[in-house]
Amino acid sequence: MSVSPDGRRVAAGPYSQLLVKQWDTDSGKELRRLETDLGGRFTTVNDVKYSPFVDGTLIATAKNQINMWDVNSGSKKLEIKYQDQEFVSVSYTQDQRRILSLDQGGVVRHWDKNTGALLL
């Protein structure tokens, strides 16, 4: 679960569904669903993070791949896959230029937020 920087939205990945739902925190109304198809497996995302930008315009999700989504349109902006790794956590660097991932083996990787290129 993640709360947008402005506190107006919350996003979470429901158990057993490979999607992320967003809700309005004032009304409780569901705003959008972000869905990823990973072969119809019975699974859920491991982590969800709003970008640290003031308006929280992006959401990153982690599972067998990292996806970055536009919050308002629901369109997928970026998809990162790496050697059949399962990602357990995803975050943004303070300067907002990189995405950090943690995989099941305990390896932290740095990715370019715009291209998805592995940096470190």
Side-chain angles (χ1 to χ4, degrees):
M1 183 180 91
S2 183
V3 178
S4 65
D6 63 8
R8 294 174 51 198
R9 292 178 294 232
V10 63
Y15 179 72
S16 82
Q17 298 177 30
L18 196 55
L19 59 87
V20 172
K21 295 180 181 181
Q22 291 185 80
W23 296 272
D24 180 279
T25 54
D26 290 331
S27 69
K29 178 184 174 192
E30 184 178 314
L31 300 172
R32 182 170 310 284
R33 293 177 181 212
L34 309 172
E35 298 186 48
T36 299
D37 179 21
L38 290 179
R41 290 183 263 179
F42 185 76
T43 187
T44 188
V45 294
N46 289 330
D47 198 13
V48 177
K49 291 283 185 334
Y50 276 97
S51 62
F53 309 114
V54 174
D55 58 358
T57 57
L58 299 172
I59 290 179
T61 60
K63 183 62 177 170
N64 295 28
Q65 61 197 37
I66 296 169
N67 292 312
M68 192 162 15
W69 308 85
D70 180 282
V71 169
N72 297 314
S73 71
S75 64
K76 191 186 304 183
K77 298 301 214 180
L78 185 66
E79 181 177 289
I80 298 171
K81 296 179 183 178
Y82 188 75
Q83 300 177 353
D84 295 326
Q85 292 295 318
E86 181 166 326
F87 300 102
V88 295
S89 184
V90 64
S91 190
Y92 297 86
T93 57
Q94 186 68 23
D95 64 9
Q96 304 172 16
R97 295 188 337 211
R98 296 180 182 193
I99 298 171
L100 303 179
S101 67
L102 174 67
D103 67 29
Q104 283 190 320
V107 177
V108 176
R109 291 185 177 84
H110 293 225
W111 308 90
D112 182 280
K113 180 182 69 78
N114 296 314
T115 66
L118 179 61
L119 301 173
L120 180 66

